[in-house]
Amino acid sequence: MENEPLLQFFAYSHLPENLQAHSKPFGDLAQQLVDTLPRNPERTTALRKLLEAKDCAVRARLFK
């Protein structure tokens, strides 16, 4: 398994269960991208944009 520092930001086990449900699919996809794509600037960009989308989804769940 490849070391990809950005994967640390897709961790979700520390979140409450209701937020884990929204965060986990992004973490799963991030891992799939790392497992199936070569390391290059485009993969990094894909992970960064996925991270941004994950953060937005979690914030949407918290929105009041």
Side-chain angles (χ1 to χ4, degrees):
M1 197 175 209
E2 181 182 346
N3 178 24
E4 172 54 66
L6 283 174
L7 286 178
Q8 68 183 307
F9 300 117
F10 289 95
Y12 55 85
S13 63
H14 64 286
L15 296 171
E17 281 189 35
N18 65 324
L19 297 180
Q20 286 184 23
H22 297 285
S23 185
K24 182 181 184 307
F26 292 94
D28 293 345
L29 181 54
Q31 186 64 61
Q32 181 183 354
L33 294 175
V34 169
D35 291 345
T36 59
L37 294 174
R39 179 181 284 228
N40 59 48
E42 289 302 315
R43 186 183 86 176
T44 300
T45 299
L47 289 171
R48 288 188 183 281
K49 289 179 183 262
L50 184 62
L51 180 59
E52 182 179 357
K54 188 259 315 178
D55 291 344
C56 290
V58 171
R59 286 193 303 269
R61 181 65 182 98
L62 296 170
F63 194 83
K64 294 180 182 183

